Amino acid sequence: MYGELQVMANNNGADAANSQGTSSTKWMAISADDGSYITPDGSGTTANSVKLDIVSGHIQWSKTITTRNKDSDWPSCSFAAITCDSTISDAAKLVLQCLGMLPYKATDLCAKAGHQCWFRNLDAERAFFSGGGWYVSSYGLASFYGTYPRSISRTYIGFRAAFVKLPTA
């Protein structure tokens, strides 16, 4: 939401019982201070939340946004170029790494795969699609595409299901 990263905690988005609508209370921002999930304010300006800033043409996670896209901008950077500024705690970095939004170490990735990431922080909402694409050689498993709204439908967008409801004892 306007550059503020919001997610559904604990992979709740994979469970059809949880609404993914724009007004769903399941959407949570991430605290830059301690990595906990916090209730967003609905305008992308939640205090102390993790936000997508653009610094020198790459993603930098921060509490504040200093550079926004222009309408005609569709920037991208390699996954290895994504960083955090000093306002992002180690705990919040770990959450970003677990979500596949921040590399553990840039050298861990296969350089030939590209791992290109596209992003926008100007719009009210952008959905991030993760993983490789069959039609672009710069896609790798660490790639993500965050330029489309949730309404997008394309043949090249797929997913890997990750939710399983385990039986109770």
Side-chain angles (χ1 to χ4, degrees):
M1 163 141 320
Y2 297 111
E4 179 177 83
L5 183 60
Q6 295 182 10
V7 300
M8 290 197 167
N10 305 315
N11 200 29
N12 285 337
D15 183 350
N18 294 313
S19 170
Q20 293 184 26
T22 56
S23 61
S24 174
T25 58
K26 298 291 183 179
W27 289 109
M28 302 300 281
I30 300 168
S31 168
D33 295 333
D34 61 14
S36 64
Y37 295 110
I38 54 179
T39 302
D41 65 13
S43 64
T45 58
T46 309
N48 300 317
S49 69
V50 173
K51 298 172 181 71
L52 188 156
D53 198 8
I54 302 169
V55 177
S56 300
H58 73 272
I59 294 173
Q60 180 171 277
W61 298 109
S62 178
K63 283 186 183 182
T64 58
I65 296 175
T66 59
T67 305
R68 288 204 185 272
N69 299 103
K70 296 179 180 70
D71 274 337
S72 60
D73 288 349
W74 298 95
S76 68
C77 71
S78 72
F79 185 73
I82 299 172
T83 61
C84 293
D85 73 8
S86 63
T87 66
I88 305 298
S89 70
D90 287 342
K93 287 178 187 176
L94 183 59
V95 171
L96 290 167
Q97 290 166 334
C98 290
L99 291 171
M101 304 301 276
L102 180 70
Y104 288 94
K105 291 188 308 185
T107 55
D108 288 344
L109 301 171
C110 172
K112 290 182 181 180
H115 307 288
Q116 200 69 9
C117 302
W118 286 261
F119 49 89
R120 285 179 60 87
N121 65 2
L122 173 71
D123 308 291
E125 178 184 75
R126 289 294 158 210
F128 280 83
F129 305 99
S130 301
W134 60 267
Y135 69 100
V136 177
S137 62
S138 62
Y139 281 177
L141 290 178
S143 295
F144 57 77
Y145 205 83
T147 58
Y148 286 132
R150 73 175 60 226
S151 60
I152 194 70
S153 176
R154 297 288 189 265
T155 58
Y156 53 80
I157 296 175
F159 73 97
R160 294 176 184 94
F163 177 81
V164 60
K165 190 166 187 167
L166 299 174
T168 57

